[in-house]
Amino acid sequence: MTTIDLDARLDPRELRNALGRFATGIAVVMARDAEGPMGVTVNSFSAVSLDPPLILFCMARSLHSLARLEKAKAYSVNILLESQQDISNRFARAGEDKFSGTPWEVGPSGAPRLVPAHAVFECVPYAHYDGGDHVIFVGRVVHMHAEGEGDPLLYYRGSYRLLASLLQDS
């Protein structure tokens, strides 16, 4: 029988490079509380269940607004269009007014949401799980909206990609 060494150390750069071979969409998670709106770019988004309707995303424990997000009564996950790389970059940075100049509105759940977005999932908290250096958020979808035509903004091997460029690379 093979023994698996759970204490084996993987090179973080090699692990990150290998994980980067999985193309992901880019989303911005938004919520608000008494301090105002908050938002952060994520590429760790996934469907979990259709019944009940559940999604998940992960947040680094180092995130400045993590405690606020953990207490949020509702949040939105906004899937970005290929034309929204500037919004992805804005919400990936800390310390600036991310909402200034960003088109957004308050959705039916009370959470802020981007206008437009490729798709928006408004959620109420369902569960939080330990994910090592991240927290795994599972949300129950209570409202959703999908825009018309357009391609998603993608992330692959450390940079933004367009769907057409990934098809050409294959």
Side-chain angles (χ1 to χ4, degrees):
M1 184 157 122
T2 304
T3 302
I4 297 173
D5 181 3
L6 295 178
D7 294 320
R9 302 303 296 170
L10 300 175
D11 179 271
R13 175 47 45 199
E14 287 182 26
L15 179 60
R16 187 178 191 101
N17 288 344
L19 291 170
R21 292 176 181 260
F22 184 69
T24 63
I26 304 292
V28 172
V29 174
M30 298 176 152
R32 71 179 180 159
D33 60 12
E35 294 181 46
M38 66 190 107
V40 65
T41 299
V42 300
N43 71 340
S44 58
F45 168 78
S46 181
V48 174
S49 170
L50 296 176
D51 186 18
L54 303 175
I55 57 90
L56 74 73
F57 59 90
C58 302
M59 291 289 172
R61 290 190 184 280
S62 61
L63 181 68
H64 176 71
S65 55
L66 180 64
R68 291 176 62 201
L69 187 58
E70 287 178 313
K71 295 176 193 167
K73 295 186 183 335
Y75 46 79
S76 67
V77 179
N78 303 266
I79 309 300
L80 298 186
L81 291 155
E82 67 182 6
S83 62
Q84 293 178 306
Q85 184 174 333
D86 60 324
I87 291 174
S88 174
N89 289 332
R90 182 177 310 135
F91 282 86
R93 290 191 281 276
E96 65 179 73
D97 182 0
K98 300 173 184 183
F99 287 83
S100 178
T102 300
W104 65 280
E105 65 186 13
V106 175
S109 70
R113 65 183 191 182
L114 289 172
V115 179
H118 200 36
V120 177
F121 301 92
E122 292 184 57
C123 303
V124 295
Y126 186 82
H128 298 154
Y129 298 102
D130 176 25
D133 61 0
H134 283 65
V135 175
I136 302 165
F137 287 78
V138 178
R140 184 179 181 121
V141 179
V142 295
H143 187 267
M144 62 175 223
H145 176 75
E147 294 292 329
E149 297 303 312
D151 287 330
L153 181 62
L154 301 175
Y155 202 73
Y156 178 70
R157 297 185 88 173
S159 62
Y160 292 109
R161 300 292 181 105
L162 303 179
L163 187 57
S165 70
L166 284 179
L167 294 175
Q168 292 170 354
D169 289 347
S170 60

